[in-house]
Amino acid sequence: MSSTEGAPQIAIPAHLLKGQKALVTGANSGIGKATAVALGRAGADVVVNYVAGREAAEKVAEEITASGVRAAAYEADVSDEDQVVAMMNRMVQEFGTIDILVANAGLQRDAPATEMTRAEWQKVLDVNLTGQFLCAREAAKEFLRRGVVPEVSRAAGKIICMSSVHQIIPWTGHVNYAASKGGVQMMMQTLAQELAPKRIRVNAVAPGAIKTPINRSAWDTPEAQEDLMRLIPYKRIGDSDDIANAVVALASDLMDYVVGATLYVDGGMTLFPGFATGG
Ligand code: BGC
């Protein structure tokens, strides 16, 4: 299966987010990690949030500081209100403020609907949806307190919700996950509507199949890869950097007039590839 492996890395303009402070939740692996590193490359100071795996998170923070910016790893469970509030307070204390929130932390607990436990349903909703809400709420409070600082950004703050193609594509065996991402879509749009008059931009990135630990079973055998390629018109699996680059662009003033949008980064997965023939 082709990927971007081996292709030269795309250079991120080093001053794009200079002087901005970013928080990325779930940033010790996968898409969150790549996003945190990319924000650092763009000149932002970065808080790397994690819930388990301190060593990995500290390594990510270390990698980010190689870009000449500040970084730190903060432990917090995004589905725990007190921990989210404490994390945001700590960031304001140690970094001065927050300019960019990437609400990325998410998980899957897959099961056929008739076998899904209440706990599996609840866990996914708690982390993927409630967790994003709590982080967005706390970030928005700080954006409102501080307001626009024109030398830093045209916006008072930017919130980027990590959604999924499954905010619109139903997904058998994953009803909890699909429901959580459908919720993220409407949460994002409502927050965008509510906060836009305060110059806060809320948007979402909706990844398709990205090669990360969350979907290993979709790419780790040749048969799985073949199945997957039927769903991707662009005929390659995505890399975490594909998502990270989109987040950096969306967070920057290049996209200052983009409010309440979902940017699908999916190689065309949402284009109903089954209809490439027939219909
Ligand atoms: C899921 C992955 C899946 C992809 C495309 C993502 O949101 O987390 O497991 O491969 O959607 O179906």
Side-chain angles (χ1 to χ4, degrees):
M1 169 176 41
S2 63
S3 76
T4 60
E5 275 160 38
Q9 196 176 48
I10 294 160
I12 294 176
H15 296 288
L16 202 54
L17 302 175
K18 198 168 179 287
Q20 303 200 41
K21 322 284 177 195
L23 167 63
V24 184
T25 64
N28 53 335
S29 74
I31 288 172
K33 173 181 170 181
T35 299
V37 170
L39 290 165
R41 287 208 185 103
D45 295 330
V46 184
V47 171
V48 175
N49 158 261
Y50 67 99
V51 66
R54 197 177 96 205
E55 247 172 61
E58 276 169 0
K59 257 201 175 146
V60 175
E62 211 180 288
E63 189 180 336
I64 294 169
T65 55
S67 294
V69 296
R70 274 185 70 193
Y74 287 6
E75 182 184 340
D77 175 350
V78 296
S79 67
D80 182 309
E81 186 168 19
D82 292 342
Q83 291 185 36
V84 171
V85 171
M87 171 167 70
M88 206 59 75
N89 286 342
R90 181 174 168 199
M91 180 164 178
V92 171
Q93 218 162 52
E94 294 178 359
F95 284 75
T97 190
I98 175 172
D99 302 282
I100 299 163
L101 166 69
V102 184
N104 167 77
L107 45 77
Q108 290 181 214
R109 293 284 183 275
D110 309 329
T114 50
E115 286 160 32
M116 187 173 286
T117 63
R118 163 79 197 228
E120 285 165 340
W121 168 266
Q122 199 62 51
K123 178 77 180 170
V124 171
L125 269 293
D126 283 352
V127 174
N128 294 13
L129 183 57
T130 307
Q132 288 207 14
F133 170 69
L134 293 172
C135 292
R137 187 189 70 188
E138 292 311 303
K141 285 186 200 165
E142 170 60 14
F143 298 159
L144 292 174
R145 185 200 64 77
R146 196 203 55 243
V148 177
V149 181
E151 314 78 80
V152 173
S153 174
R154 292 182 173 188
K158 281 86 59 162
I159 295 172
I160 293 161
C161 298
M162 198 56 69
S163 188
S164 165
V165 291
H166 298 296
Q167 70 173 21
I168 55 163
I169 301 179
W171 201 16
T172 293
H174 310 262
V175 64
N176 48 1
Y177 185 84
S180 75
K181 296 302 185 178
V184 164
Q185 177 179 27
M186 191 44 72
M187 178 192 72
M188 179 280 287
Q189 288 179 298
T190 301
L191 288 174
Q193 186 191 65
E194 191 166 334
L195 297 171
K198 307 290 184 194
R199 284 289 159 87
I200 295 169
R201 292 198 295 119
V202 187
N203 290 287
V205 169
I210 308 300
K211 198 172 183 180
T212 70
I214 206 174
N215 61 358
R216 178 172 298 280
S217 63
W219 50 263
D220 72 349
T221 66
E223 300 76 49
Q225 287 182 20
E226 205 184 307
D227 272 359
L228 187 60
M229 284 309 115
R230 280 196 211 111
L231 300 176
I232 308 175
Y234 205 53
K235 300 298 173 207
R236 75 164 171 86
I237 192 166
D239 295 328
S240 293
D241 281 344
D242 289 315
I243 306 304
N245 293 338
V247 171
V248 167
L250 208 42
S252 80
D253 281 358
L254 288 172
M255 302 258 176
D256 187 57
Y257 207 50
V258 179
V259 176
T262 295
L263 180 54
Y264 288 93
V265 185
D266 67 351
M269 196 176 237
T270 39
L271 296 174
F272 296 96
F275 280 80
T277 56

